[in-house]
Amino acid sequence: MGAMNYRHAFHAGNFADVVKHLALISILSHLKKKEAGFAVVDTHAGRGVYDLGSEEARRGGEAEAGIGRIAGIADGPETLQTYLRLAEGPRYPGSPLIAARLIRPQDRLVAIEKHPDDAKTLAATLSPFRRARTVEGDGYARLPALLPPPERRGLVLIDPPYEAPGEFGQAARAVAAALERFATGIVMIWFPIKSAPAAAAFAGEVLAAGPRKALRLDVEVAAQAETKQGGARTGRLAAAGLLVVNPPYGFAADMRQALDIVAPRLDGTARLDWLAGAE
Ligand SMILES: C[S@@+](CC[C@H](N)C(=O)[O-])C[C@H]1O[C@@H](n2cnc3c(N)ncnc32)[C@H](O)[C@@H]1O
């Protein structure tokens, strides 16, 4: 692994975070339909909270083009309303804080973060939540020992920075390892789409693990990415995807409904495809 240069503070609240966090909220609300407790393992958790007024957050204008465009939408499905309520104000919640705020007393969150500074901030952010635990370490290495969770229900969220060459392969192998131990578990993995063939190859690698159901969700915001500044590309990410293995029943419909409202506001398009199984 190379140096850890990726800092999510530059990207917090961007279009990819919006979609990822909507999906997280939808999955949690489906899990909460049953009384039995569940576990959430967030392998690349980040700091848990991001100040959207900070220099880092403002520099690339990513939050402004993401959460900034959908804040205040008054209608739309429950998932969208829950997200907007959680993301209200200048302190944008990352995935572990969203999960910590939505789980019940019978549920549990394990949030793993490798960067020591971010892990420290995360531990402080999650300290008020009795059912949340922060682990400083390598999410890929720590994941197998956490599976299957004793609850036998739950979600594994894999949200790597993809800064190291070969991280696509590492992420795909993590999904396979998770399914080997927890075949019925929900696994959601985020990925950037810089090249369509590379994304398809990645999806193919995840499918090779043999999940019974797998859904791919892509969002593209081409208009933002092609913006030129002084003749140079901004370099901003234009498209991103989620692979959701074993999505709960109703997740796809819920996301369709939310994205019908959200995608046009982001100047983007969304598509959902079943790669394995269907509803
Ligand atoms: C995309 S950010 C996570 C954002 C977070 N999941 C959210 O939605 O708010 C990726 C994070 O992974 C951390 N990281 C990088 N390599 C890691 C590894 N091997 N294990 C755990 N965390 C890692 C980075 O420091 C960074 O905070």
Side-chain angles (χ1 to χ4, degrees):
M1 284 276 276
M4 293 184 58
N5 295 319
Y6 178 90
R7 306 313 302 273
H8 195 65
F10 290 97
H11 311 290
N14 71 359
F15 79 95
D17 255 15
V18 170
V19 175
K20 181 202 321 173
H21 294 154
L22 284 169
L24 171 63
I25 290 166
S26 176
I27 290 170
L28 294 177
S29 76
H30 280 94
L31 281 167
K32 283 159 70 173
K33 286 185 179 159
K34 286 193 187 141
E35 224 11 69
F38 58 84
V40 178
V41 180
D42 191 342
T43 61
H44 294 69
R47 308 159 42 93
V49 69
Y50 301 89
D51 175 5
L52 295 186
S54 73
E55 152 68 14
E56 290 104 313
R58 293 162 64 103
R59 197 184 297 170
E62 293 198 37
E64 197 187 327
I67 178 68
R69 293 195 183 183
I70 61 167
I73 295 177
D75 54 355
E78 179 82 29
T79 294
L80 177 57
Q81 290 309 318
T82 302
Y83 171 64
L84 292 177
R85 183 166 45 76
L86 293 175
E88 222 168 35
R91 284 166 65 77
Y92 185 82
S95 54
L97 182 55
I98 290 173
R101 288 175 69 177
L102 292 179
I103 59 176
R104 307 161 300 179
Q106 64 267 46
D107 308 322
R108 198 162 57 87
L109 166 68
V110 181
I112 311 165
E113 169 57 45
K114 191 173 176 187
H115 197 292
D117 294 347
D118 289 348
K120 223 170 140 198
T121 307
L122 179 61
T125 305
L126 294 183
S127 65
F129 300 93
R130 215 171 42 84
R131 304 297 297 164
R133 180 158 71 92
T134 301
V135 175
E136 181 183 332
D138 180 338
Y140 295 120
R142 300 290 180 114
L143 180 60
L146 297 167
L147 301 179
E151 296 88 347
R152 302 275 163 167
R153 309 179 62 216
L155 165 69
V156 176
L157 168 60
I158 304 175
D159 183 20
Y162 296 93
E163 62 179 349
E167 194 153 12
F168 271 110
Q170 193 173 21
R173 285 193 298 280
V175 180
L179 289 176
E180 214 169 279
R181 289 172 173 76
F182 186 28
T184 56
I186 303 165
V187 182
M188 175 159 91
I189 178 156
W190 182 89
F191 59 100
I193 304 177
K194 290 175 182 165
S195 121
F202 174 62
E205 255 185 284
V206 170
L207 272 187
R212 278 215 242 139
K213 287 208 290 176
L215 184 73
R216 177 173 165 176
L217 191 166
D218 287 16
V219 175
E220 198 177 337
V221 288
Q224 292 182 17
E226 297 309 326
T227 306
K228 314 247 181 196
Q229 282 182 349
R233 294 269 308 251
T234 59
R236 212 194 252 176
L237 188 64
L242 292 170
L243 289 173
V244 186
V245 168
N246 298 325
Y249 185 82
F251 168 76
D254 189 31
M255 287 307 289
R256 250 187 215 113
Q257 231 189 329
L259 290 171
D260 275 350
I261 297 174
V262 166
R265 294 271 193 135
L266 298 174
D267 237 337
T269 52
R271 57 175 292 169
L272 280 95
D273 293 295
W274 286 99
L275 303 183
E279 267 166 12

